[in-house]
Amino acid sequence: MTTPRLSVLLAALAAAALPSAAWAQSQARSQTSLAAGAAASAAMVRVNLAAPGGASQSLSLPLGKSAVIELPVDVRDVLVTNPAVADAMLRTPRRVFLLGLKTGATDAAFFDAAGRRILSLAVRVDQDPTAVAETINKVLPGSHVQVDGMGGSIILSGQVASLADADKALQIARATVEKPEQVLNMLSIAGKDQVMLKVRIVEMQRNVIKQLGFNLNAVLNQLGESQYLLGTAATFGVNGALLGGIGAGYNLDSTKQPVITRSIQVPNQVYDPATGLYHTEFVRQNVDFVDRNDPLATIKTTAGDPGLNKAEATLKAFERVGLVRTLAEPNLTAVSGESAKFLAGGEFPVPVSQDTTGAISVQFKPFGVGLGFTPVVLSGGRIALKISTEVSELTSQGSFSVSAPGTSAALTIPALVVRRAETSVEMPSGGSMMIAGLLQERTKQNLDAVPGMTTLPVLGSLFRSRDYLSGETELVVMVTPYIVSPTDPSRMQTPVDGMRIADDASTILMGALTKAYKAKPQAQSGRTYQGPYGYVIE
């Protein structure tokens, strides 16, 4: 059992009372007893006033424990400056009982019959660590934990086998104090384990876009006069615009025609005032005739002619199926109790402030495939693991735009589409865990139609347009922790070990950049590999 030691040893008997050999043995026994931190209910302290500094000494007393002060001369009065911390009781002229009542510090002065001060004792009452030390060494028999008291706090020092044992000792000590911060952890780990985390992050995205639209526009009767209009067009309200595909239809425009001008005689009725009758006279006029076959015909605007002036009908169809696969396989190693992070992606700037000169300060926010974990190795080779993973990408949906004063330029800050998971588990070394079921499905569909025409068989489809968008996403995270130890560097391989660049003939004739190569061939368990092996570049 490890107990606190007193700050100053008050010497045993006076030199004249005992022989030198007996004095040395008594002093050694007193040191052992006081260093144990008052293991007994009362500690015996003998004072040697003839020793250097004998008239002024100090004593460290556990809370709730007592010490017996034996003096070589008679004492008549004892003065304690702070009786709430320690209490002194004069039992005999040469024996005084000192009891620790409250953590703190005080002074005790001893006076003889003539009123002279024969001893000044600085007393410090600390937290009693005896029960804490006994419990810790009982629960953790393989550890070497030393418990010391200082005021109302407890100091843990020494060495434990693992971080889990250190946490147990810390919890035991905190149970004996009023506040957790009163326990000072100064324990050291005998051998820290290292944990390698093998992670596979897979995200699958599937997008489907379908568009089918009809555009029917016609102007009936004469342009410039009363008209009858017919028109329907696809708005593509979900996707916003036609993304591609095929378009087919017809376009008839009779407002511009190939015409030829000819002079003809046109009858004209003329009134004769003398006779009061009308008579016919022929007048020659230039008239335009539509004649597509006449080589002298020219294109002229014929808007206003009776009949159909302009008509257009178009079929627009588009379909797209997209598949996106995101995969990351980070391998991270961290000491037990420490954190490790991984990010495969990038960072984008976000404005945070602007000074009076117009200079803008920015902060960079990360995005991409991220991983963070904190392992703690427990007894029996088990691992307590706190892991957080995230898959994020930039998007214009939910972005923020701001314009600078006095300018038309706008600063757009993109938003993030985030898939995040965080959990705490406990598993053995080599065991695996899967975080799955992170599904997201989004479907949008829009129909534009002429009222009353959608229910017509066959012909109804010509008067409606469809816009369809579907998105499906699934994220899967697989985690496997291992307790690892350092290995020899000769057993490690990289993608450039043994790589050979292709010669000019292979590059020109075969289009090869590298040759097949072997990366440090190593036979394992009698197995022999045939042919090229190693990392694959092409």
Side-chain angles (χ1 to χ4, degrees):
M1 179 180 65
T2 305
T3 54
R5 57 185 63 174
L6 297 175
S7 61
V8 176
L9 174 65
L10 302 180
L13 289 172
L18 292 175
S20 59
W23 158 253
Q25 295 177 359
S26 176
Q27 186 181 25
R29 287 194 302 267
S30 179
Q31 288 178 348
T32 304
S33 177
L34 295 180
S41 59
M44 180 70 68
V45 180
R46 293 182 173 88
V47 179
N48 181 14
L49 298 178
S56 179
Q57 301 184 22
S58 60
L59 173 66
S60 180
L61 188 63
L63 179 63
K65 298 297 179 68
S66 62
V68 180
I69 311 297
E70 289 191 354
L71 298 168
V73 296
D74 293 343
V75 176
R76 181 176 181 180
D77 296 323
V78 179
L79 175 63
V80 179
T81 58
N82 191 355
V85 175
D87 187 18
M89 299 177 61
L90 185 62
R91 305 299 296 177
T92 66
R94 297 192 178 190
R95 174 172 292 184
V96 181
F97 290 165
L98 199 61
L99 177 64
L101 303 178
K102 180 182 177 181
T103 57
T106 184
D107 291 333
F110 300 85
F111 301 91
D112 57 8
R116 295 187 300 268
R117 187 176 64 178
I118 60 177
L119 176 64
S120 178
L121 190 63
V123 181
R124 189 184 71 187
V125 180
D126 299 324
Q127 184 77 19
D128 184 15
T130 306
V132 180
E134 291 178 352
T135 305
I136 290 178
N137 288 278
K138 181 179 179 181
V139 175
L140 306 174
S143 302
H144 303 280
V145 180
Q146 181 177 349
V147 184
D148 296 318
M150 185 181 68
S153 302
I154 291 179
I155 302 175
L156 301 181
S157 59
Q159 193 175 76
V160 292
S162 64
L163 188 64
D165 292 346
D167 184 67
K168 293 178 181 178
L170 189 62
Q171 293 180 11
I172 295 173
R174 285 177 175 176
T176 61
V177 294
E178 296 180 357
K179 299 180 180 179
E181 55 268 19
Q182 291 179 330
V183 178
L184 305 180
N185 184 9
M186 303 181 65
L187 295 172
S188 60
I189 310 300
K192 292 186 177 181
D193 296 316
Q194 296 185 108
V195 178
M196 184 189 73
L197 193 68
K198 182 178 181 181
V199 181
R200 294 190 66 196
I201 303 174
V202 181
E203 183 183 27
M204 191 69 70
Q205 298 181 0
R206 180 177 180 268
N207 296 321
V208 178
I209 302 175
K210 295 181 180 179
Q211 292 179 332
L212 179 63
F214 293 90
N215 187 4
L216 303 175
N217 292 306
V219 179
L220 306 179
N221 212 336
Q222 299 181 13
L223 292 176
E225 298 182 3
S226 300
Q227 302 171 10
Y228 301 93
L229 304 178
L230 172 64
T232 175
T235 61
F236 299 120
V238 174
N239 297 311
L242 181 68
L243 301 179
I246 186 174
Y250 75 95
N251 188 344
L252 176 61
D253 188 357
S254 61
T255 61
K256 295 179 183 292
Q257 296 287 350
V259 300
I260 185 171
T261 303
R262 294 185 180 182
S263 179
I264 62 173
Q265 290 184 351
V266 179
N268 184 24
Q269 297 293 328
V270 180
Y271 176 75
D272 189 357
T275 60
L277 300 175
Y278 288 91
H279 63 278
T280 303
E281 293 182 358
F282 289 90
V283 180
R284 184 169 295 275
Q285 294 181 357
N286 292 331
V287 180
D288 293 336
F289 294 92
V290 177
D291 191 350
R292 295 181 176 85
N293 299 321
D294 196 315
L296 299 179
T298 58
I299 301 297
K300 293 185 178 180
T301 300
T302 60
D305 290 347
L308 180 66
N309 291 137
K310 184 180 293 186
E312 180 182 0
T314 306
L315 168 65
K316 298 178 180 179
F318 171 75
E319 182 175 358
R320 173 189 291 171
V321 178
L323 193 65
V324 179
R325 176 174 178 259
T326 302
L327 175 64
E329 295 188 15
N331 290 341
L332 299 179
T333 302
V335 176
S336 176
E338 301 295 333
S339 300
K341 294 182 179 180
F342 164 84
L343 175 65
E347 295 184 345
F348 65 98
V350 176
V352 293
S353 63
Q354 184 177 12
D355 58 16
T356 56
T357 62
I360 299 177
S361 300
V362 299
Q363 289 183 353
F364 287 87
K365 303 295 184 180
F367 70 94
V369 180
L371 170 71
F373 78 102
T374 303
V376 176
V377 178
L378 307 177
S379 59
R382 299 188 64 82
I383 303 172
L385 191 65
K386 183 177 181 181
I387 180 172
S388 62
T389 181
E390 177 179 306
V391 177
S392 59
E393 59 181 336
L394 299 178
T395 178
S396 59
Q397 298 181 359
S399 60
F400 176 74
S401 299
V402 60
S403 300
T407 62
S408 59
L411 175 63
T412 301
I413 304 174
L416 289 177
V417 177
V418 181
R419 313 295 301 278
R420 182 183 294 118
E422 184 173 351
T423 183
S424 297
V425 295
E426 181 180 332
M427 63 181 67
S429 176
S432 295
M433 175 197 69
M434 175 178 288
I435 304 175
L438 300 176
L439 302 176
Q440 181 182 8
E441 183 176 357
R442 181 181 59 183
T443 301
K444 295 182 180 180
Q445 189 168 194
N446 183 58
L447 284 178
D448 293 336
V450 177
M453 303 295 290
T454 58
T455 58
L456 294 178
V458 182
L459 295 179
S461 61
L462 299 177
F463 296 93
R464 64 174 178 261
S465 299
R466 183 194 183 201
D467 195 10
Y468 175 79
L469 174 63
S470 176
E472 299 175 355
T473 302
E474 181 175 6
L475 179 65
V476 177
V477 180
M478 291 174 286
V479 179
T480 305
Y482 298 93
I483 299 178
V484 297
S485 57
T487 185
D488 190 88
S490 61
R491 302 184 61 184
M492 310 298 289
Q493 298 182 9
T494 66
V496 299
D497 293 341
M499 186 184 71
R500 291 184 297 169
I501 303 298
D503 52 22
D504 293 341
S506 300
T507 303
I508 296 173
L509 300 178
M510 305 301 296
L513 298 178
T514 61
K515 288 186 176 181
Y517 62 92
K518 301 179 181 180
K520 295 183 180 180
Q522 297 175 359
Q524 298 180 359
S525 302
R527 299 176 58 185
T528 303
Y529 295 98
Q530 301 295 332
Y533 58 90
Y535 292 95
V536 177
I537 300 297
E538 297 178 339

